[in-house]
């Protein structure tokens, strides 16, 4: 299988990974913007609309980047590693999950804050999203690499 095909499959997975949070965040921001617009708060409605657009674009960009990186890692990995499902899944999970974890740490510890500055709910959401992305990439690693689904 060609490198281009594997990378394309990873990019498609990344678009799917990015579409879920993009749809949720964009939809919530648009509903909130409509509520503020009908209440006569035009400035807040514009701010929420632009925030929703940035959330959608950012989520899709991160998802596509992660998917492309996962596809590229699987395309360049040795075939003997890809033939073993646990190793292939681990490679895909690390490739997709580690950048999200690093980005989350950088976002949470920026501006002089520490991880203890946030409530446990923020940590739960951040790490569950990171784990979900890693598990989806691991579960789909066989399809991306061209080895079919693992049963």
């Amino acid at each position: 299988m060609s490198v281009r095909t594997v990378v394309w499959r990873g990019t498609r997975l990344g678009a799917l990974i990015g579409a879920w949070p993009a749809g949720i965040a964009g939809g919530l921001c648009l509903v909130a913007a409509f509520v503020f617009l009908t209440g006569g708060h035009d400035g807040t409605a514009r701010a929420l609309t632009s925030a929703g657009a940035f959330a959608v674009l950012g989520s899709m960009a991160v998802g596509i980047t992660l998917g492309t990186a996962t596809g590229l890692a699987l395309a360049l990995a040795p075939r003997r590693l890809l033939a073993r499902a646990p190793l292939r899944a681990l490679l895909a999970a690390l490739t997709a999950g580690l950048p999200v974890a690093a980005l989350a740490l950088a976002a949470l510890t920026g501006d002089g804050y520490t991880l203890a500055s946030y409530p446990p709910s923020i940590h739960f959401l951040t790490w569950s999203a990171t784990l979900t992305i890693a598990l989806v990439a691991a579960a789909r690693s066989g399809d991306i690499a061209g080895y079919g689904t693992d049963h």
Side-chain angles (χ1 to χ4, degrees):
M1 181 163 308
S2 72
V3 172
R4 179 177 286 175
T5 303
V6 175
V7 172
W8 175 248
R9 288 178 178 179
T11 303
R12 282 191 347 225
L13 173 72
L16 181 65
I17 287 173
W20 279 96
I24 293 169
L28 288 175
C29 285
L30 287 177
V31 167
F34 179 74
V35 169
F36 279 105
L37 187 62
T38 58
H41 301 288
D42 294 341
T44 305
R46 274 193 291 276
L48 282 169
T49 303
S50 66
F54 284 129
V56 167
L57 292 175
S59 178
M60 290 302 293
V62 168
I64 289 173
T65 302
L66 288 175
T68 303
T70 303
L72 188 61
L74 290 172
L76 298 177
R79 289 291 160 204
R80 58 184 161 70
L81 182 133
L82 294 178
R84 297 188 177 117
L87 294 177
R88 180 181 62 235
L90 180 64
L91 175 64
L94 289 176
T95 304
L98 283 180
V100 175
L103 184 64
L105 279 175
L108 290 176
T109 57
D111 296 330
Y113 291 104
T114 64
L115 291 177
S117 304
Y118 294 95
S121 60
I122 296 295
H123 295 292
F124 176 76
L125 287 174
T126 302
W127 299 116
S128 64
T130 303
L131 185 60
T132 301
I133 290 169
L135 289 176
V136 167
R140 303 299 295 181
S141 66
D143 292 336
I144 296 170
Y147 283 89
T149 57
D150 302 320
H151 294 290

